[in-house]
Amino acid sequence: MTQPPSNQPPGFGAPNPDPNQNPAQNPPQNPASGPAQNPAPNPPPMPPQAPPMPPQAPPAPAQAPQAPQTPPPAAPGPYGQPPQPGYGYPQQPGPYNQPPQPGYGYPQQPGPYGQQPGPYGQQPGQYGYPAPAPAPGGKNPFKGKPGVVVAAAVAAALVIGGGTWFALSGDDEDKPVAKPTATSGTPKPSESVDQGDGSGDGGGRNGEDDLNAGRKPGEAKINWLLKNNVDLPRNGADVFGPWVTGDVVAKAMYKGISGFGLSDGASKWHLDLPFEVCAAAPEPAADGTTVIGINDKAGDRADCTVLQQVNLKTGKAGWKKTLDKGTGFSSLSDITLAISGTTVTAAGTNNSWGFSLTDGKPLFGKPAAGQCQPYAFAGGAKLIAAASCRTSDVSKKQEQISEVDPNTGKPRWTFKLQPNWEVDKVYSVNPLVVSAQQRDEKKWTVFAVTPDGKLRSQIQGGNDKYAPDCGGGAFVIFGRNLQGCQGVAADAGTFYMATDSEYRQANAVVAFDLNTGKQKWRAAAPAERTITPLRMEGSEVVVYMKAMYDKGGAVATIAPTGGTPKILQQHPLATAEIEDDYYNPAYVYSGGTFVVAAGRVSARNDAEEKETKTMMAFSK
């Protein structure tokens, strides 16, 4: 297939273009680059057949259902729309004016890269986004997310709690454990827990006397296991994190944020908060500084407008400020936070800000009226803004992405998507890899952008189904959280994404060349196993092989040339059921220690709530 014209992203092998599609029209002028570029092609046609509708969210239970080994069915997606089709729907023309491309798992049609013109620049134009492929595949992109439609609390799930821990290798039978209920820096002891003396039955299946007692030669050690010790509301609470900084692993939930020893799970510090945590930056700054969002009051009418700086190494609270929510059509939606260098951004549907991470002083606000307004940022090595622009036709949406100066908020370059395409996620900031969707038509694409804002390539998914996990706790209802997806990774020249997997069927990690969008290789998981990329370590991809009821999880690496995953850390079979029991889990691998944490916690009663396992760690 031919490549799409510059600045127009290709879609995931979108479906064949619609022969009745109207000719491309001249795109609006690009505010960041001056006069309009070549006209961008029209968005791709609808897929041959619409993807199946996701299951409807169950009605709110009279009392919170038991949390989960089996998560509740997905609820409608954000914006009151039904959940989007997962990677695996047939791809349609992409947002970049390129022809529909085959969706992950959908029948493929010509894509923006030599397929028929799709929204992402199949035709030359200023819309430099790749054409979208059908919404991410077999499982909808909101797979695993708790159902959320404003205040409709659906089935309760398990969230990472914050407190009781099992030290699994000690000798003292009644050694006190940490309970993070005190103020910052002064953890208080909680009830004692039997740590085991190595003579237990192996735990994990029938007991927890000593989870390491069942380890076999070559299997990793369970460092610790945390149980919830937070009194939660009836419907439970989402977890933010975990974040690893130095020798501390921290997480926030409900009205507190806690730090634990990465090696032993002991409480390092706990910070009580006046109201619920409602937002958090996906990753802290290099020195461990972060900012979290807190509700301004209790109850359903609370607004997520209070920003609180916290040092994750020490638990010390820093500056605090309240955002102006506004009123009427100018009122702020749910906010999302991002950190880049010494700047923290806060953004929602109708406003955006940049503050000094050090002292909270304002650096920039939203652009002047009439200009494109950022509604979310992605942070890290660069600061990327996703913005919505007004159009003369209310039936057409217009979005763009820009790299902005963290000190001023001014765009360094701007890349426009085709009309009605929306920025969905930023899978990587450097290199920049973006997911976009045309929600109404359930089209989806992934594309790469060069350092100067030009279309680099559109990922060509082929006939595979893909399902990056972007759910879990901290799901935003009205705002758009651009970061936080698991199952993707990228280095300078390659993007890695896991294919979707049905129960007991092995999946694979696929490597895509960022310069062409074409597949370079695929590395299959062992029989009946599921693997997901976590991050890069040098030139190798670190992946997690998920636990099953009869197999422990494992951390492995895949070489730059592909091949069989090489096991670095095999987790015990004796604790496989515990490892596999977390709802909407989040994974972190740092310094040889692997941490798995629940994404949401709730239970039917107080006794069950305190027995809920929330986080555990393994190491060699």
Side-chain angles (χ1 to χ4, degrees):
M1 298 177 175
T2 60
Q3 293 296 318
S6 67
N7 256 23
Q8 299 188 6
F12 277 147
N16 292 319
D18 185 347
N20 299 317
Q21 191 170 291
N22 293 330
Q25 300 177 354
N26 291 331
Q29 178 172 328
N30 184 322
S33 59
Q37 304 175 18
N38 294 332
N42 288 324
M46 288 288 292
Q49 90 178 43
M53 292 294 292
Q56 297 296 314
Q63 69 173 20
Q66 177 171 6
Q69 291 190 0
T70 303
Y79 318 120
Q81 301 183 0
Q84 302 288 320
Y87 290 0
Y89 283 106
Q91 295 195 346
Q92 304 185 17
Y96 301 112
N97 282 331
Q98 302 182 7
Q101 303 187 7
Y104 287 171
Y106 283 105
Q108 295 195 347
Q109 303 187 16
Y113 290 121
Q115 300 183 5
Q116 300 182 10
Y120 286 120
Q122 297 199 354
Q123 302 180 17
Q126 79 180 31
Y127 294 118
Y129 295 103
K139 299 178 182 177
N140 77 66
F142 305 111
K143 173 194 96 161
K145 294 179 181 176
V148 286
V149 178
V150 189
V154 285
L158 288 181
V159 165
I160 293 181
T164 308
W165 59 284
F166 288 131
L168 302 174
S169 58
D171 297 318
D172 298 333
E173 191 171 343
D174 294 314
K175 188 174 181 179
V177 295
K179 175 182 178 182
T181 54
T183 56
S184 175
T186 56
K188 293 180 180 178
S190 68
E191 58 192 276
S192 299
V193 177
D194 184 354
Q195 300 176 35
D197 58 6
S199 61
D201 62 6
R205 297 175 182 276
N206 303 309
E208 297 169 359
D209 289 343
D210 186 345
L211 298 183
N212 280 302
R215 281 197 301 150
K216 298 177 181 178
E219 291 183 334
K221 169 187 173 182
I222 301 103
N223 290 349
W224 45 267
L225 170 66
L226 276 171
K227 285 187 177 181
N228 178 55
N229 197 34
V230 176
D231 187 11
L232 298 171
R234 190 183 77 172
N235 291 318
D238 285 334
V239 173
F240 296 80
W243 307 285
V244 172
T245 177
D247 61 351
V248 174
V249 55
K251 61 185 179 64
M253 183 184 71
Y254 195 38
K255 297 180 181 179
I257 180 169
S258 306
F260 305 90
L262 184 60
S263 62
D264 59 10
S267 180
K268 293 281 192 180
W269 53 264
H270 175 81
L271 180 63
D272 285 319
L273 301 168
F275 302 110
E276 291 188 49
V277 178
C278 52
E283 292 297 333
D287 65 355
T289 303
T290 194
V291 173
I292 58 175
I294 305 171
N295 282 342
D296 62 349
K297 55 183 173 289
D300 294 339
R301 296 182 179 274
D303 293 318
C304 188
T305 54
V306 180
L307 304 186
Q308 174 67 69
Q309 184 215 54
V310 180
N311 185 313
L312 295 179
K313 289 184 178 179
T314 65
K316 182 179 179 181
W319 56 265
K320 182 178 181 180
K321 66 170 56 258
T322 300
L323 303 174
D324 180 9
K325 178 177 174 60
T327 58
F329 288 107
S330 296
S331 62
L332 180 67
S333 69
D334 291 357
I335 64 167
T336 57
L337 304 173
I339 292 173
S340 181
T342 57
T343 296
V344 58
T345 60
T349 302
N350 296 301
N351 219 326
S352 59
W353 300 266
F355 300 101
S356 166
L357 183 60
T358 305
D359 55 20
K361 291 182 179 178
L363 297 176
F364 56 86
K366 74 175 186 178
Q371 297 183 22
C372 296
Q373 299 293 331
Y375 58 78
F377 292 87
K382 296 182 179 180
L383 184 59
I384 303 297
S388 179
C389 308
R390 290 186 178 181
T391 65
S392 58
D393 184 349
V394 293
S395 66
K396 287 186 178 180
K397 297 177 182 178
Q398 178 63 64
E399 293 199 359
Q400 64 184 37
I401 54 171
S402 304
E403 179 188 349
V404 300
D405 184 330
N407 297 313
T408 65
K410 293 182 178 180
R412 290 174 173 164
W413 51 257
T414 295
F415 185 74
K416 284 185 177 289
L417 280 69
Q418 280 293 307
N420 297 325
W421 283 89
E422 300 176 52
V423 177
D424 174 41
K425 296 290 177 182
V426 173
Y427 290 150
S428 170
V429 165
N430 188 26
L432 182 55
V433 181
V434 180
S435 166
Q437 290 192 42
Q438 193 175 75
R439 297 178 186 274
D440 292 344
E441 297 185 25
K442 298 179 176 61
K443 300 174 186 176
W444 172 64
T445 192
V446 175
F447 61 98
V449 178
T450 65
D452 60 353
K454 301 294 191 302
L455 177 65
R456 183 176 179 182
S457 69
Q458 182 171 351
I459 303 304
Q460 300 176 29
N463 292 316
D464 288 309
K465 296 181 181 180
Y466 297 84
D469 185 358
C470 300
F475 180 51
V476 178
I477 300 176
F478 295 110
R480 280 186 254 179
N481 199 339
L482 297 183
Q483 295 177 287
C485 294
Q486 298 181 129
V488 292
D491 58 25
T494 309
F495 173 62
Y496 306 89
M497 184 160 52
T499 63
D500 199 2
S501 172
E502 299 299 329
Y503 179 68
R504 304 293 283 185
Q505 292 183 2
N507 73 330
V509 169
V510 180
F512 298 91
D513 188 319
L514 284 177
N515 291 323
T516 66
K518 295 180 179 179
Q519 294 188 18
K520 297 170 68 174
W521 49 257
R522 57 192 300 123
E528 301 183 347
R529 303 303 300 273
T530 299
I531 54 178
T532 185
L534 297 178
R535 61 178 177 79
M536 300 302 300
E537 191 165 275
S539 60
E540 296 185 318
V541 191
V542 177
V543 300
Y544 173 56
M545 192 175 300
K546 295 182 180 180
M548 300 174 66
Y549 72 95
D550 60 348
K551 294 180 177 69
V555 177
T557 57
I558 301 176
T561 54
T564 302
K566 177 184 177 182
I567 302 295
L568 297 181
Q569 186 182 105
Q570 176 62 57
H571 301 161
L573 170 61
T575 56
E577 290 184 21
I578 296 177
E579 186 181 356
D580 188 41
D581 195 41
Y582 293 92
Y583 179 69
N584 251 331
Y587 312 112
V588 178
Y589 181 66
S590 178
T593 298
F594 177 82
V595 177
V596 53
R600 183 174 180 83
V601 175
S602 69
R604 292 173 298 183
N605 53 55
D606 289 345
E608 184 179 275
E609 186 174 86
K610 290 185 177 181
E611 288 302 309
T612 299
K613 300 173 181 67
T614 58
M615 186 162 62
M616 69 190 300
F618 302 82
S619 66
K620 286 189 175 180

